[in-house]
Amino acid sequence: SCRVLFGADVEARTHAAEPGVFAELANGRAAGARRLVEATAAAVHDQGSLLRVFVSGEPAQAAVQGVAAESTAAADAVLYGCGPLRGDELISRFDGLRALTGRPGTVSTNWAPERADLAADAERLAAAGAEGLALYNLSLVPEAGLDAFRAAAHAFRAGVAA
């Protein structure tokens, strides 16, 4: 589809990092994603459901994939996938992705046995403007991780209330 939208030489231009090619790809893909999200939103709304789009990855890559305010506008909400990121890297990823969509959204993060800072990160996300916290793989977490999830949920709620 990129060849159709941008010409047969788009791959060569991209690999050569031709000036402006990434913005051209981002804009074209955002227009295509907008049409897809609008159609999907209309279909799910007809069935009484809501649409939440998932946005993840490095912000520059997400932009080239079509993530933009225009492409996510018809969605009811946004979920930012931040996986195992922690600390400043987590907040930076959230800020970068949120800048693309222009929406606060919910942040999805996950727990690992060596991750002792999940609650602190949840509190930081609340302070950074996240509207929700999704704790990934809840059903796969051993009992030892449930206390970390409880603490993270409590810290996020307390951070939002502050």
Side-chain angles (χ1 to χ4, degrees), residues 10-143:
V10 69
E11 286 180 84
R13 292 172 46 221
T14 302
H15 289 293
E18 180 182 297
V21 72
F22 293 108
E24 185 182 348
L25 286 170
N27 291 335
R29 287 179 172 169
R34 177 189 49 79
R35 291 189 302 270
L36 176 64
V37 172
E38 286 174 350
T40 304
V44 300
H45 292 158
D46 284 348
Q47 297 302 310
S49 294
L50 300 176
L51 176 65
R52 179 183 297 181
V53 295
F54 181 71
V55 176
S56 67
E58 293 286 337
Q61 181 65 33
V64 172
Q65 292 172 341
V67 175
E70 81 168 283
S71 65
T72 59
D76 298 296
V78 178
L79 176 64
Y80 298 105
C82 294
L85 300 179
R86 302 174 181 177
D88 291 340
E89 188 178 14
L90 171 65
I91 300 304
S92 177
R93 176 71 53 88
F94 170 56
D95 286 342
L97 293 174
R98 178 179 51 180
L100 292 175
T101 67
R103 302 172 71 162
T106 295
V107 177
S108 175
T109 188
N110 55 8
W111 173 85
E114 67 278 358
R115 185 172 188 177
D117 56 354
L118 186 60
D121 281 339
E123 186 174 14
R124 289 181 74 195
L125 285 167
E131 64 185 10
L133 178 67
L135 299 169
Y136 182 72
N137 276 346
L138 178 61
S139 63
L140 301 176
V141 171
E143 192 168 331

